[in-house]
Amino acid sequence: MVAQSPANAAPAETGDDEDTPLGRYHASWGRLNKLMRRGVSWSGGERNAAFVRSAEGDLDLVDAAPVLGLDHADDGRAAARIDIDFDGDEDLVVTSRTGPRARILANRWAGGNATLGVRFVGTRSNPEGAGAVVFATPLTEGESPPNELVRPGVTQRRSRAIGSGFLAQSSEWQRFAFPRSQDTDVAPQVHLRVRWPGANGGTVEDFGVVESGRSYVLVEGSSAARAATRPSPVVHEPGALVPAAADDSARMRIVLPAPVPVPSLDARTRAGESARLFGVTPQGARGAGRPVVLVAWDSSDPEAIDRLGDLGALSTAATANRVGLLALDVSAEGTADSLRDGAARLAAAGWTGEVVGATAEAAIVLRELVAWRFDRTDPPVGPWSLIVDAEGRLAVLRVGPWAENELTLDLNVLRVPLEQRPIVSTLYPGQWVNPPGEADLGGLRSRLADLGVDATVREIDLARVSTISLDGADVQIKRGQAQLERGDLLGALERFDAAIERAPKNVLGHRARAYTLHLLQRYDDAYAAWTEALRLEPADVSTRGNRALTAVAAGDVDEARADLEVLRQSANPEAPIVVAVQRALELVDGEGGGK
């Protein structure tokens, strides 16, 4: 069973040797992952379930997924409840391993009940109101609020929980539904009380009577429900499904969050001589001393030249930026004559770079490298273009034809420092908590070992036996993070100071130092550290938000308000860091503090 770690593996058993329990364990996981990348279901196509009570007051549950449209056959991973369109009822966001990565399932139930939403803001307990319980009692027309906290069979309750599901967190809004009057179809008024978390069961606060059909914010200690502003409506308009290209040759481009050392690629020149491109060693990748664009193409394909796109524009841009150009023919029929013929065809299309032919093993290595980076069993249909930095590390991977000005976009990536490379590799804003350094070739090694490419496997094994400098800034930051997790704040601060001394422009080091100073309640020093990090990366929302929180802690609310104003103009107003700063300032205003 691969789902159980081997209990009888000796400590010395490492690697991928299938003659040992640990080796068989690793090999079995590798085969499972290959099947899952092909879309095979982990759970055997078992459909999702949604359980509801069978009757009022009955604890028997029935699976209502088929009638609710929730019984997808995907390997579901997580589900979160959220009123995404703010219409009063809860919708679902579901993620899946083998189906669409995320589904938004809009609730369109037309039962006619009146809904009510509440959100907690803690002041004395905790900012999120975690653990608070709201009691909602609907009132008949003209009825006074009850004295008792719970009216059996009538009062509904909801509690605020943190961590409400596997790989998911549902909305902080608590939702209720109440039947309307059968005679007048009027939505009832609702009496709200909240038991806040605390010692001896916490305190109960009365928030009075509110109208159903609306949403309210309940701030601890205010004793008044504040009506929430309805956000702009979200419109769900299904679009037409666009089928994937039949030949899988659509243009694609990925920026790698961590550069990948390119293993040795053996090749033949047009003169029949042997050549070795790139390579990995224990000292690191072996590059050409300048960026190189390696274009892998198949000269036996009569449409190969057309598939490469505007080679003239690519060649002109490469010359202007002193970038090496290398066309690698991966054709299985790559003879000396076909290589020379291919070079002539490339030159006629505007190509000015070198032209070489890949050996059979080099073609396999390149194929698996591309498939591995795209996280696929097989690579997409070529041509493939690898943008390799001066040190011999793959930074950008393209599939399909080149167009004018595209090389400039890729070269801009190479100019981004490695610690910031993850930021430009994704469409989503924010920061990586633990940015990767240089990518490990272990996944590629497993692929090549299965195919018997022994020479490259040995090269990767030797390269992975590398030494690291304990004085490097990145190592100092990682050691500081470990000390931070152990609660050794002063030790962590010493490491972060050492990292900044070695790399003064390391943004992550400045952020980590600022965070540690804040924990040490050295707010003035922390504010200065956040300011330095912001100077190095002015557009970072998280850094500006944390600086504002430090300013609040230091009592300088004017600086915090200035940062909040910038955040409101440059970031999503609902972003967690923006909301946190706003709440912190609201608390200070409520207490009459600040300067």
Side-chain angles (χ1 to χ4, degrees), residues 71-413:
D71 59 336
H72 309 123
D74 317 331
D75 283 355
R77 305 300 293 160
R81 296 174 289 102
I82 177 174
D83 184 5
I84 201 166
D85 47 12
F86 221 71
D87 63 351
D89 52 38
E90 289 187 319
D91 310 300
L92 281 177
V93 179
V94 182
T95 63
S96 167
R97 185 194 291 275
T98 56
R101 191 62 62 89
R103 282 189 175 98
I104 297 176
L105 306 175
N107 189 345
R108 291 293 179 262
W109 182 68
N113 284 350
T115 60
L116 175 70
V118 300
R119 179 170 68 81
F120 302 121
V121 176
T123 56
R124 294 184 289 267
S125 55
N126 62 82
E128 297 289 336
V133 182
V134 57
F135 300 86
T137 304
L139 306 176
T140 59
E141 187 174 357
E143 182 183 7
S144 299
N147 294 323
E148 65 272 19
L149 181 63
V150 176
R151 179 173 292 176
V154 177
T155 302
Q156 298 182 36
R157 71 178 70 187
R158 300 285 186 273
S159 60
R160 174 76 167 107
I162 302 294
S164 57
F166 177 68
L167 297 178
Q169 170 64 56
S170 293
S171 170
E172 61 182 337
W173 285 95
Q174 311 301 316
R175 299 289 175 185
F176 299 90
F178 304 99
R180 297 175 183 271
S181 170
Q182 295 181 354
D183 299 328
T184 61
D185 194 34
V186 174
Q189 292 187 317
V190 180
H191 183 226
L192 296 178
R193 287 190 178 99
V194 175
R195 177 185 288 133
W196 297 101
N200 301 319
T203 59
V204 176
E205 183 175 0
D206 194 324
F207 282 88
V209 177
V210 299
E211 301 290 335
S212 57
R214 304 183 67 179
S215 296
Y216 299 88
V217 178
L218 309 181
V219 180
E220 186 178 9
S222 68
S223 298
R226 187 179 69 203
T229 303
R230 181 186 178 98
S232 300
V234 177
V235 179
H236 301 285
E237 295 183 353
L241 293 176
V242 180
D247 60 357
D248 197 23
S249 61
R251 290 162 53 87
M252 293 184 285
R253 174 182 180 267
I254 58 172
V255 176
L256 304 186
V260 177
V262 180
S264 297
L265 300 173
D266 291 329
R268 301 179 304 275
T269 68
R270 282 175 281 178
E273 299 174 346
S274 297
R276 173 160 288 189
L277 314 173
F278 308 113
V280 292
T281 71
Q283 290 72 43
R286 184 170 55 240
R290 62 171 177 166
V292 173
V293 176
L294 185 150
V295 176
W297 72 302
D298 185 349
S299 63
S300 64
D301 180 359
E303 299 179 357
I305 297 295
D306 294 334
R307 293 179 185 274
L308 291 172
D310 193 342
L311 295 182
L314 174 61
S315 296
T316 300
T319 300
N321 290 279
R322 302 185 64 186
V323 173
L325 284 180
L326 185 64
L328 184 64
D329 186 358
V330 295
S331 170
E333 305 169 2
T335 63
D337 290 341
S338 65
L339 190 58
R340 285 190 289 270
D341 176 66
R345 293 164 58 198
L346 287 170
W351 180 263
T352 60
E354 297 291 331
V355 181
V356 296
T359 64
E361 184 166 304
I364 294 174
V365 171
L366 190 60
R367 168 189 171 88
E368 293 303 314
L369 174 62
V370 173
W372 172 54
R373 286 297 77 186
F374 274 105
D375 195 26
R376 298 167 52 139
T377 303
D378 298 310
V381 175
W384 314 313
S385 295
L386 286 68
I387 291 77
V388 183
D389 63 21
E391 289 76 30
R393 299 170 302 188
L394 174 62
V396 183
L397 184 56
R398 287 183 174 272
V399 176
W402 281 88
E404 190 175 3
N405 297 326
E406 287 187 331
L407 181 58
T408 301
L409 186 65
D410 296 337
L411 295 180
N412 287 338
V413 172

